[in-house]
Amino acid sequence: MISKPLRLAALAIAASLAFATQANAQTQSFDAYLETVAAQARAEGVSQRTIDAVFTGLTPNNRVIELDRDQLVSAGSPRTSTGFPSMANYLGRHNTQARINGGVRTLARVRPIASRIEQEYGVPAEIVIAIWGHETSYGAVMGSFDLPRSLATLAWEGRRRDLFEPELIAVLKMVDQGVPRSRLVGSHAGAFGNGQFLPSVYLRLAVDADGDGQRDLWNSDADTLASIANYFRDAGWRQGEPWAVRAFVPNTADRSGIESRVTSPVCPRVHERHSRWLTVREWRARGIEPRAPIGDDVLATLFEPDGPAAPGYLLTQNYRVILEYNCSNYYAMSVGLLADEISR
Ligand SMILES: [Ca+2]
């Protein structure tokens, strides 16, 4: 299983996934810990009224800690000859016909808004809707955990306090900005709404696109679509470039010498499966043929997720943008291919 999406936090998770020690865990009672967070929040301008409204009566949730630990130990699926779990298997489970149909229906329903947002942000509507589909089945499954309680529990527990304490303070700032306390419901790991943003991402990138004065990622189609599109634009989406194209890779293709020579500073285990960057023109010269339109000068990496006998892809910079949303090749491939299906 791939770990649950955690937005920008994926970077921090990748760095600490190997059973980090609980160095600073639970050296204080939960209430004493909340007092230290409250002091920090006050220093960052959060009102006492908000702190009282959110923290009074808050208790840790053991279920959240259990789920967080389960993520670490979940054993992988069967491996292919690549040494990695099968991409085909993952896609079969995640890009189901029901999910594809849901995406087509969603796009039809929101098309006027989606077109306007596509114009404004330069991110294809089908990519945004594919994210929505993978995160919450187009809003059907947004999580039922109380966000302040989950975030306070995870921050106090301490394994990833560096990640969760700022998110706990960010959720207080959301309340200060007028988000109703009752709306703060989401995943056990603190992600919420249609696109499963973390609070810090909400503060930075959520958009009020329907003009009602609220950035409502739970109920508003326009706010949801614009906020995800804004995330993608902020992460460097290149308008008019595909996320990837399927590529024909002949048996005779020489795969030696195309390994990446750099180690990615972020989630290196994801990036090390991609080749080095070459232009499409250079790939063609090596006998590797794109199966869909893509400019000759576009830079791409070759990725053969299930090995040489299975489909290969030329990934562009836009694939990296999907990885910024959730740094997993399985996630990014399933989002890109779902978007392709929706736009077909
Ligand atoms: Ca709104």
Side-chain angles (χ1 to χ4, degrees), residues 183 207-217 220-224:
R183 196 175 277 170
V207 174
D208 172 24
D210 58 16
D212 71 348
Q214 297 186 45
R215 300 188 288 172
D216 182 355
L217 305 191
S220 164
D221 290 342
D223 292 6
T224 294

Side-chain angles (χ1 to χ4, degrees), residues 53-55 58 146-149 175 178-185:
V54 175
F55 281 179
L58 207 63
D146 181 70
L147 289 174
R149 191 182 184 204
V175 175
V179 177
R181 174 70 181 82
S182 59
R183 196 175 277 170
L184 298 176
V185 174

Side-chain angles (χ1 to χ4, degrees), residues 96-117:
T96 59
Q97 195 59 49
R99 183 159 282 166
I100 294 166
N101 294 346
V104 171
R105 274 198 308 274
T106 301
L107 181 56
R109 178 168 62 78
V110 301
R111 191 177 291 278
I113 311 168
S115 299
R116 175 165 65 79
I117 288 165

Side-chain angles (χ1 to χ4, degrees), residues 5-331:
L6 278 171
R7 311 296 70 82
L8 293 175
L11 316 182
I13 293 167
S16 64
L17 196 60
F19 287 90
T21 59
Q22 296 186 27
N24 53 357
Q26 300 169 19
T27 51
Q28 298 166 285
S29 73
F30 185 72
D31 287 344
Y33 173 66
L34 287 188
E35 281 182 33
T36 68
V37 176
Q40 179 61 35
R42 274 191 296 274
E44 294 183 28
V46 175
S47 70
Q48 188 61 43
R49 186 161 159 240
T50 288
I51 291 167
D52 291 343
V54 175
F55 281 179
T56 302
L58 207 63
T59 56
N61 185 344
N62 284 328
R63 182 68 188 136
V64 166
I65 294 173
E66 283 171 20
L67 288 168
D68 183 56
R69 290 181 178 161
D70 281 353
Q71 257 184 13
L72 282 182
V73 297
S74 57
S77 314
R79 310 266 149 164
T80 68
S81 63
T82 62
F84 294 91
S86 160
M87 181 65 72
N89 193 308
Y90 182 92
L91 293 171
R93 282 184 287 122
H94 288 81
N95 283 6
T96 59
Q97 195 59 49
R99 183 159 282 166
I100 294 166
N101 294 346
V104 171
R105 274 198 308 274
T106 301
L107 181 56
R109 178 168 62 78
V110 301
R111 191 177 291 278
I113 311 168
S115 299
R116 175 165 65 79
I117 288 165
E118 185 169 319
Q119 287 285 314
E120 184 171 348
Y121 293 90
V123 182
E126 59 269 19
I127 288 280
V128 172
I129 286 171
I131 292 282
W132 193 358
H134 276 296
E135 292 297 335
T136 60
S137 291
Y138 313 104
V141 189
M142 292 195 274
S144 55
F145 286 87
D146 181 70
L147 289 174
R149 191 182 184 204
S150 294
L151 290 166
T153 299
L154 291 168
W156 170 66
E157 189 267 350
R159 184 171 67 82
R160 288 181 286 158
R161 179 169 292 174
D162 291 351
L163 163 63
F164 288 113
E165 187 172 290
E167 295 300 339
L168 177 57
I169 292 171
V171 90
L172 292 168
K173 291 177 181 173
M174 288 171 61
V175 175
D176 246 8
Q177 290 182 3
V179 177
R181 174 70 181 82
S182 59
R183 196 175 277 170
L184 298 176
V185 174
S187 81
H188 77 270
F192 59 85
N194 285 304
Q196 296 284 283
F197 276 25
L198 280 172
S200 62
V201 178
Y202 177 93
L203 292 175
R204 196 164 67 84
L205 295 170
V207 174
D208 172 24
D210 58 16
D212 71 348
Q214 297 186 45
R215 300 188 288 172
D216 182 355
L217 305 191
W218 294 264
N219 305 299
S220 164
D221 290 342
D223 292 6
T224 294
L225 294 166
S227 298
I228 297 171
N230 193 33
Y231 188 107
F232 272 67
R233 182 172 69 178
D234 179 77
W237 184 270
R238 294 181 183 174
Q239 189 168 7
E241 206 167 278
W243 65 276
V245 291
R246 183 80 180 264
F248 171 71
V249 186
N251 288 336
T252 54
D254 180 11
R255 289 175 178 82
S256 65
I258 59 167
E259 296 88 358
S260 178
R261 295 174 195 152
V262 292
T263 302
S264 170
V266 294
C267 46
R269 290 166 64 197
V270 169
H271 289 99
E272 73 189 14
R273 299 188 63 191
H274 310 152
S275 78
R276 54 190 266 230
W277 294 93
L278 293 173
T279 64
V280 168
R281 185 180 291 106
E282 289 169 319
W283 285 118
R284 284 207 167 98
R286 289 167 181 257
I288 290 147
E289 278 299 319
R291 293 296 208 197
I294 183 169
D296 274 346
D297 295 322
V298 173
L299 281 165
T301 62
L302 180 65
F303 183 34
E304 295 177 286
D306 287 339
Y313 299 86
L314 290 173
L315 312 175
T316 73
Q317 180 62 34
N318 283 342
Y319 182 87
R320 302 290 174 107
V321 175
I322 306 176
L323 287 178
E324 290 234 357
Y325 209 89
N326 181 11
C327 203
S328 152
N329 282 310
Y330 298 87
Y331 180 85

